[in-house]
Amino acid sequence: MSDALAPPTLPPLEGWVRVDDATDRPFELGPVSVVARTVVYEDAAIRERVPATAGGPWRFLFASRLGIRPHAPPSTALTKLVGKRASAGFRSRLEARGFSDVRRAESRTLRVRVGGGGGDGTDSAGDDATVAEADVVRYVATVELAGVELAVDAYLAVTPVDGEFLLTGGAYPREVRGGDAETAAALREAINPERFREELFRVIRGVE
């Protein structure tokens, strides 16, 4: 049985660098095996705007393609189970990157168009595009960098499509809460939470 999965295709990401591309088995569902191909990106451009001491990976995004083995069309029960496991995995990913006080804040559904050539993040998906419902959960968290505490927003989207699941998520700083004055000032200049959110949701809408 082959675990080969194509990596998720993301819209163009200016100023980002891919730091990981891996295939693994994140969890088992009884006799069903789940294989994931995950790519992770970090914002490299923003590091140029803050002191070198604050160069931690504090703004990132990822996308995973989950294949079900043996193949089974997504059902409500399967989607809920994948969402639950994905949420636990996302929390672990955030904590491994140094985020703390991770809390679920709200959830919503988002209509997305997957496939059909719309991978540029625009609404130009072709006739072959699939309209799907993504379950999107927002988390809030905290991260400390070079003596500065930042409030963070993080999102995870789970989208069932064509017998697979697409997981997309990321985190970005929302607000400087205080700390070293020089670093805090540089971070305040670099942080644009509205733009960060728009870019993340462009990826959620454009991944395929």
Side-chain angles (χ1 to χ4, degrees):
M1 180 184 300
S2 173
D3 285 350
L5 278 178
T9 301
L10 278 64
L13 296 170
E14 183 177 353
W16 293 75
V17 294
R18 188 168 67 181
V19 296
D20 196 16
D21 181 348
T23 300
D24 65 347
R25 292 175 178 265
F27 52 88
E28 303 287 331
L29 303 173
V32 177
S33 175
V34 178
V35 181
R37 178 75 177 270
T38 302
V39 292
V40 182
Y41 289 79
E42 292 179 358
D43 184 352
I46 200 171
R47 294 185 185 183
E48 300 176 1
R49 302 185 58 185
V50 298
T53 53
W58 46 282
R59 186 183 179 216
F60 78 98
L61 63 84
F62 79 96
S64 295
R65 185 186 309 280
L66 268 60
I68 310 298
R69 306 286 192 271
H71 177 84
S75 63
T76 300
L78 181 59
T79 299
K80 286 184 178 179
L81 185 53
V82 169
K84 181 178 180 180
R85 297 296 182 88
S87 178
F90 187 51
R91 283 175 174 268
S92 296
R93 184 185 294 273
L94 290 171
E95 291 168 354
R97 285 179 164 268
F99 298 94
S100 61
D101 300 324
V102 181
R103 304 184 306 279
R104 179 172 175 145
E106 59 181 318
S107 61
R108 56 176 289 198
T109 59
L110 180 70
R111 290 176 65 85
V112 298
R113 291 175 63 82
V114 181
D120 60 356
T122 70
D123 294 327
S124 61
D127 293 338
D128 294 334
T130 299
V131 177
E133 291 279 346
D135 292 323
V136 182
V137 181
R138 173 176 169 258
Y139 298 83
V140 294
T142 301
V143 69
E144 184 174 321
L145 289 172
V148 176
E149 183 179 277
L150 299 167
V152 172
D153 275 349
Y155 286 87
L156 172 67
V158 179
T159 310
V161 59
D162 293 337
E164 298 179 336
F165 289 87
L166 291 172
L167 309 183
T168 317
Y172 57 85
R174 182 183 72 248
E175 179 185 8
V176 176
R177 287 178 172 167
D180 176 76
E182 181 180 355
T183 305
L187 288 170
R188 287 191 180 96
E189 289 292 324
I191 290 175
N192 186 335
E194 291 185 3
R195 179 172 63 83
F196 292 169
R197 182 183 181 279
E198 289 174 359
E199 289 179 352
L200 179 55
F201 271 74
R202 183 172 65 88
V203 173
I204 290 174
R205 291 187 175 97
V207 68
E208 57 183 82

